[in-house]
Amino acid sequence: MLQEARELLKRVYGYDSFRQGQEGIIEAITGGRDTLAILPTGGGKSVCYQIPAMLMTGTTIVVSPLISLMKDQVDALRRVGVPAAYLNSSLGTGEYRDVLRAALNGEYKLLYIAPERLDGSMFGELSERMRIPMIAIDEAHCVSQWGHDFRPSYRQLAGWIGRMEDRPLVSAFTATATPEVADDITAMLGLREPSVFVSGFARENLSLSVVTGADKKRFLTQFLKERPDQSGIIYAATRKETEAVHEELLRQGIPAGKYHGGLGDAERAEAQEKFRFDETRVMVATNAFGMGIDKPNVRFVLHWQMPGDVESYYQEAGRAGRDGEESECVLLFEPQDVQIQRFLIEQGQGDEGRKSVQLSKLYAMMNFGRTERCLQQFIVDYFGEKGVEPCGKCGNCLDKSERLDMTSEAQKALSCVGRMKGRFGVTMAAKVLKGSRDKKIIQFGLDRLSTYGLLREWPEREISDWLYWLVAEGYLRLSEGQYPTVSLTAEALPVLEGSKTVVRRKSTSVRRAASAAASGEASPLFEALRQWRKETAAREGVPPFMLFFDATLRELAAAAPASRDELLRVKGIGAAKADKYGDALLAITSGEEAQAGRQPDLFQAADAGRAPARAEASLSGRGESGSHLATYEMFQAGGTIEQIAQERGISRVTAESHLMRCADEGLELDWSRIIPEDQEPLILEAASRLGADKLRPLKDALPPEVDYFAIHGVLRKHGLKSG
Ligand code: ADP
Ligand code: ZN
């Protein structure tokens, strides 16, 4: 079986080897075992049920709550020649009926179904009339109340499966399950002696870091400036923050989209598409954004605030680098942001039990923000995976700041907490250590403890902070519930006994990982392939990455295959894709195009008029007149200056000057895309005051966010043309 699985991996997907965990999971499933697989986002779960599905007789049912993901997966499967379909609310009645009929005829290897579609009668019909070797449950944590994304339709489904006679194999997949949630999934789905796999939570291509005490706005500006071509997501906790950050980015001229629950469906869909197609570079969003987003080239995920639990954090952060390339995850952490999350929990639905679970998850998240351990290790531990070494590249691993021996202060704090016998919270413990005369302290007789006033020279706030630090490092623990009490863990004992020292980083303010290495200069061949991919994808109406990932193109460019065999050796190219695109690719990589003089020369067109670019060839009838027309055409087609500059390998300034030249030549331009609405009156006013023959005095007189391009634009638009 495994041999066959490996062959399928190569033939269908074009991958040479399994990722960590995949092989074991496939072996368990094909060996007939119920399976629970906990693999992180991007870990490659789909392959784990798709390959067994191809090997088994009949139709595997895949339950998945993510409509957009179903479509992507089914498209991808069909593309590589595997018959698959989905049933969800996005289908019209007729389509739905057709798919159902074909399914009952056994025409699919995989049938994706949304859980709410699988009611009792549907389930009965399918299981009676189809041969179903396996039910694969994606996002299985949705079945658990203790998970962070409970869905009643999942709970019901578990009931149907449990009641089936002759029940098929059940495999469950999730990216986020603590050991408790994993147990709950097993119980709820009635998995029978399942093989359980937890692995691969460490994402080697992610550099995690936590930034505390930074001016967030300034940090963001600098961060984006250092990564001018990278695509990324900024997660904020609320709609209001999302709007504010989005506005700020637009003000800075960064092509950004926004996404939150307060926007209409159409608006959200459009924002998502634009992001997927790289039309916007940055997406600012609440956690509403992400269910189902599968954009592989997200280079960074920046959390404007901390989310409510480590599961959400890692799921969101994990949307970076799905293509395996170096990516960054930055959490802007301010301890007071905990209040927002606490508020969201308290306002949220759910009974007290659930809220108390959420609060303790929130404390774990807070610990992540404060820990000085390897951040990657912290997360991997949290999900129950053992034995992973420090990553060596997170903010904490890279932090070389001085350490202070804090053993004595730790002993004072720990012994005080020990004497309070787990009956009080952090605030009270801090008051005792401070030696406070607070009414409650006296009332409870806490001023008589031998540890009373042991840290009296510290501000009380710092003492609380110190206690929270001890929580984050695992010496203290907070109870669940709304008013958590603090108590010692087993880790505290060696410290109290004097056999373990406690060291703390001297400065805990701004720490962050070094920026991820830029992924290298693009070669001309890579650019040519990218251009081909873009055109072909546009023709097929799919996002470029559906054809090939950047990594595949890069490998193609490096290997420059000259034959089909060589082509098949490239990671990410299977037989189906080789059949479909092989000739076109070989024509590019073997240099035929170049020899025939058709090789696009975009990357050298540094200046107007030089190096005719392929885009210009399509400007029929305009002759040799120049590169500025190509820029114009791309701008008219909706490209932003930034995209055009990148696409054409020219600088922004050059692209801008192209458009101005077009305006001079009388071509129509959509000025509203060049001149921010609120700036136009300002610029006009300044021009009437200072004249329009020199730009510099205008620029100096205007607010800094008004750029030369807009000034230029206004002068051209109103015929005040300078210089
Ligand atoms: P998730 O676990 O988030 O559902 P996916 O199944 O979408 O992850 O896989 C993430 C990406 O990794 C996909 O693009 C997939 O094609 C790719 N992938 C899966 N298995 C392998 C493998 N063995 N080698 C290389 N890439 C793989
Ligand atoms: Zn690390």
Side-chain angles (χ1 to χ4, degrees), residues 223-234:
F223 185 86
L224 293 176
K225 207 152 138 209
E226 285 167 7
R227 296 157 182 75
D229 313 313
Q230 296 185 359
S231 173
I233 306 173
I234 299 170

Side-chain angles (χ1 to χ4, degrees), residues 374-376 390-394 397:
C374 168
L375 294 169
Q376 180 75 81
C391 73
K393 64 199 283 189
C394 71
C397 282

Side-chain angles (χ1 to χ4, degrees), residues 19-21 38-44 197-204 314 376 380 385 388:
R19 289 225 183 112
Q20 192 188 355
I38 305 170
L39 286 183
T41 306
F197 297 86
V198 186
S199 78
F201 273 90
R203 293 270 309 274
E204 276 165 23
Y314 203 46
Q376 180 75 81
V380 166
E385 186 182 350
V388 172

Side-chain angles (χ1 to χ4, degrees), residues 142-289:
C142 295
V143 82
S144 169
Q145 286 227 52
W146 311 124
H148 57 112
D149 195 18
F150 171 61
R151 295 177 182 226
S153 56
Y154 262 73
R155 184 56 65 83
Q156 251 177 8
L157 171 74
W160 307 126
I161 295 176
R163 284 194 286 279
M164 276 175 97
E165 293 171 32
D166 211 9
R167 156 187 172 290
L169 198 74
V170 178
S171 55
F173 297 84
T174 174
T176 57
T178 57
E180 301 85 72
V181 173
D183 288 346
D184 204 30
I185 294 174
T186 303
M188 287 301 142
L189 287 173
L191 299 184
R192 298 175 188 162
E193 294 173 31
S195 301
V196 179
F197 297 86
V198 186
S199 78
F201 273 90
R203 293 270 309 274
E204 276 165 23
N205 61 323
L206 299 187
S207 323
L208 307 175
S209 53
V210 174
V211 175
T212 300
D215 174 336
K216 289 186 180 182
K217 258 193 194 167
R218 191 166 322 148
F219 178 86
L220 179 62
T221 307
Q222 189 60 26
F223 185 86
L224 293 176
K225 207 152 138 209
E226 285 167 7
R227 296 157 182 75
D229 313 313
Q230 296 185 359
S231 173
I233 306 173
I234 299 170
Y235 278 110
T238 60
R239 293 174 188 180
K240 204 167 136 226
E241 290 274 0
T242 304
E243 290 284 349
V245 174
H246 178 246
E247 212 163 283
E248 173 65 22
L249 292 184
L250 291 189
R251 214 177 54 79
Q252 295 182 18
I254 291 167
K258 64 179 174 187
Y259 193 105
H260 59 67
L263 303 173
D265 287 349
E267 206 173 341
R268 278 190 292 178
E270 187 187 336
Q272 173 154 347
E273 279 309 278
K274 281 195 166 154
F275 184 60
R276 238 160 78 97
F277 282 81
D278 286 331
E279 279 176 43
T280 46
R281 170 158 93 86
V282 179
M283 182 70 115
V284 190
T286 62
N287 60 6
F289 180 62

Side-chain angles (χ1 to χ4, degrees), residues 9 15 17-19 22 40-47 322 549:
L9 185 72
Y15 299 133
S17 55
F18 283 110
R19 289 225 183 112
Q22 286 180 326
T41 306
K45 284 180 283 297
S46 351
V47 166
R322 294 181 66 116
F549 287 165

